[in-house]
């Protein structure tokens, strides 16, 4: 089993996690949590989203979060940006990197962004070129890369075509989102067999939701295929809007356990994640659902 | 990714699950649950254990459970047996198949059976030959195949040596137990690379605990290596005695989801497992922890 020696974990909990949590978290608590995450060895934290507050009220304090955190050298602090207005706000907040997003299936894209894929592409193109002109790196998110909650299976060719459009716009990296957590390893393998001849593995990230407990199986297969960037969320925060109450993103600490046991370096320290998890448990007043937090609470190791 | 077309799921919830549940379940409830499992398409159910009641009081009613269930044609009803006394009781209860058990590490074996590995082998040999003489098939369980809670890592060669002794005794199949749920896919691959040149894949089963959420990743790798028999427990019942409150066996319904999505036949029907899960939730008065039961409770699919 050929595995990479080193990977990068991109922590998306403060954005993808909190935007799907029913509970509102105060700016002060968000900043305290992000500051604790900054001490765990993570090199990338997506801290918020500059979408309009009426869409995601949980993240209405995007600018305040960015001005409240203590940025650490060597860490990229990123934020999601849906359009030019969002980009302006993100640039004013002196963000390090921005992310643009769309879906690989038309009906999920419409439901999420209120535009068709064809209508979305020029909007993103404008945002990407302005961000690049401002000296920022840009990450693309592509959702529903295996299946769409409305349309069912999405073909690898469809994903490849949209990925090519996004790279043509000038994005630096593409995060492939398995939005509804239905994929199994052979599907991940087939998708990557189509994508990897076209795009460098170093520019692709995998973003798995753990709805059906398959995220680590899919990450293990992605590692075998040469992928070295993975999105995850501390404590598996987030949930899935298509299966209410189900699990969210793969938990950063559960992924770290697997990587450590595989001998793959990430630079992230388990005790740092556990400390950030304990803080979030006290903020939310509920236990986080990851296996590592569960084992930690029970006094195991 | 080469995968088998067909696998067998061996349901161990009534034994491995219930023996680790703190709550006592009545004989009547056990029988009702096993009868419901018998209608889900499963072809193998390990219903109880004939160990001395002082060791596992939860399963003191082994004989009563076997006389209370309605056996279905085509299903093998099996039970764990530690020694000759247990075998006598199991034969009187007209069990279809018996299982003998030991560990690949001496200190876990001592802690579990109160004997060294060297002392255990002749006891098992006697049980196996008497069971075979009575016309029963015999399954072996070997625990701590990757790591021991007391000794740390266990070498594949140690596992191979004990497996050879057990097959030499005449066992029909060996179930390899990853007792503490610490293994990652490359370790499973290394172990199977050592075992598969020696033993036919059709005679090896994998038995994963899901303590760190890695069971499906390890099963996916085992499938790629040619393994076609997997132990699992409805609802992930069981827990881990070495990490109190943590998850137990991999949940049968979560495994079934993965197999169905991979196009691998098992003969088991999800709605049958969900029905058995709902019954167990009402018996225990608590939700089962599997992803499929969670999604089902939330009204998802």
């Amino acid at each position: 089993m050929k595995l990479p020696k080193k990977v990068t974990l991109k922590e998306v909990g403060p954005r993808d996690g909190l935007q799907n949590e029913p509970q509102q978290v105060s700016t002060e608590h968000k900043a305290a949590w992000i500051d604790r995450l900054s001490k765990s060895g993570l090199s990338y934290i997506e801290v918020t989203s500059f979408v309009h507050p009426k869409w995601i009220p949980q993240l209405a304090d995007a600018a305040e979060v960015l001005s409240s955190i203590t940025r650490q050298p060597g860490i990229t602090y990123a934020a999601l940006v849906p359009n030019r207005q969002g980009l302006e706000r993100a640039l004013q907040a002196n963000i390090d990197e921005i992310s643009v997003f769309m879906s690989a299936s038309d009906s999920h894209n419409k439901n999420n962004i209120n535009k068709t894929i064809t209508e979305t592409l020029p909007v993103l193109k404008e945002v990407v070129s302005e961000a690049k002109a401002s000296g920022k790196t840009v990450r693309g998110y592509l959702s529903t890369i295996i299946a769409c909650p409305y349309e069912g299976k999405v073909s690898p060719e469809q994903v490849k075509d949209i990925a090519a459009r996004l790279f043509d716009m000038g994005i630096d990296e593409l995060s492939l989102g398995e939005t509804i957590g239905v994929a199994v390893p052979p599907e991940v393998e087939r998708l990557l067999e189509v994508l990897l001849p076209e795009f460098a593995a170093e520019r692709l990230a995998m973003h798995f939701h753990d709805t059906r407990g398959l995220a680590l199986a899919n990450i293990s297969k992605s590692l075998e295929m040469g992928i070295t960037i993975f999105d995850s969320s501390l404590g598996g925060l987030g949930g899935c809007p298509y299966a209410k109450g189900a699990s969210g993103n793969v938990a950063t600490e559960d992924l770290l356990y697997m990587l450590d046991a595989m001998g793959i370096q990430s630079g992230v320290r388990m005790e740092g994640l556990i400390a950030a998890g304990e803080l979030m448990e006290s903020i939310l007043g509920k236990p986080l659902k990851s296996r590592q937090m569960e084992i930690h609470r029970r006094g195991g190791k």
Side-chain angles (χ1 to χ4, degrees), chain A:
Chain A
M1 193 168 167
K2 204 174 167 297
L3 294 170
K5 287 194 168 43
K6 213 181 146 183
V7 300
T8 303
L9 299 190
K10 302 209 163 176
E11 172 63 40
V12 298
R15 196 275 303 170
D16 201 13
L18 291 187
Q19 83 174 38
N20 287 307
E21 278 295 313
Q23 201 173 327
Q24 180 70 39
V25 175
S26 72
T27 308
E28 192 188 348
H29 280 149
K30 285 177 188 171
W33 183 44
I34 293 164
D35 286 348
R36 203 167 284 195
L37 287 168
S38 291
K39 291 178 185 156
S40 67
L42 286 162
S43 59
Y44 190 102
I45 307 176
E46 193 180 65
V47 289
T48 189
S49 171
F50 286 93
V51 299
H52 196 286
K54 83 173 174 198
W55 294 0
I56 303 178
Q58 292 95 325
L59 305 183
D61 59 354
E64 292 75 15
V65 168
L66 270 159
S67 63
S68 303
I69 60 174
T70 305
R71 299 196 198 188
Q72 299 295 334
I75 302 183
T76 301
Y77 295 91
L80 216 65
V81 153
N83 50 32
R84 279 184 72 164
Q85 292 87 327
L87 177 63
E88 294 311 319
R89 291 172 60 211
L91 292 174
Q92 277 162 25
N94 193 25
I95 195 74
D96 295 330
E97 174 169 301
I98 66 135
S99 301
V100 297
F101 56 98
M102 63 180 294
S103 305
S105 58
D106 230 11
S107 31
H108 186 264
N109 203 66
K110 270 187 210 151
N111 191 65
N112 208 25
I113 314 186
N114 206 24
K115 288 188 182 66
T116 64
I117 287 175
T118 313
E119 291 162 351
T120 303
L121 288 165
V123 178
L124 299 198
K125 188 173 181 176
E126 195 180 21
V127 173
V128 173
S129 57
E130 286 215 22
K132 301 292 284 186
S134 307
K136 303 298 177 187
T137 50
V138 179
R139 181 174 220 230
Y141 276 107
L142 189 57
S143 299
T144 64
I145 54 148
I146 297 281
C148 166
Y150 312 110
E151 296 175 29
K153 288 294 152 76
V154 172
S155 78
E157 285 68 27
Q158 167 83 350
V159 175
K160 184 180 76 174
D161 289 348
I162 302 181
R165 302 274 214 118
L166 289 165
F167 279 117
D168 284 348
M169 283 178 199
I171 63 165
D172 298 280
E173 176 180 308
L174 181 62
S175 171
L176 299 160
E178 209 283 88
T179 311
I180 53 176
V182 295
V184 289
E187 293 175 302
V188 173
E189 183 183 57
R190 273 195 297 275
L191 173 63
L192 289 174
E193 279 169 353
V194 169
L195 297 182
L196 287 170
E198 303 291 323
F199 315 109
E202 304 77 53
R203 299 181 77 186
L204 296 179
M206 299 305 292
H207 178 111
F208 288 109
H209 283 238
D210 202 30
T211 321
R212 287 161 188 81
L214 287 155
L216 293 179
N218 288 327
I219 291 173
S220 182
K221 179 49 72 183
S222 304
L223 286 164
E224 282 189 86
M225 303 291 290
I227 300 292
T228 58
I229 311 169
F230 295 95
D231 298 354
S232 61
S233 169
L234 192 90
L237 271 179
C240 171
Y242 309 102
K244 289 276 175 240
S247 300
N249 293 275
V250 64
T252 309
E253 58 274 32
D254 290 349
L255 173 53
L256 180 64
Y257 173 85
M258 183 173 84
L259 294 170
D260 284 348
M262 286 174 164
I264 297 173
Q265 293 169 39
S266 67
V268 184
R269 294 176 299 276
M270 185 63 82
E271 62 274 24
L273 296 182
I274 297 290
E278 286 183 319
L279 177 62
M280 192 37 100
E281 289 187 334
S282 76
I283 290 170
L284 294 174
K286 68 174 187 184
L288 294 178
K289 282 203 252 178
S290 75
R291 300 305 176 95
Q292 288 301 318
M293 286 305 295
E294 186 176 39
I295 290 169
H296 176 73
R297 283 193 303 272
R298 309 287 182 163
K301 55 171 186 166

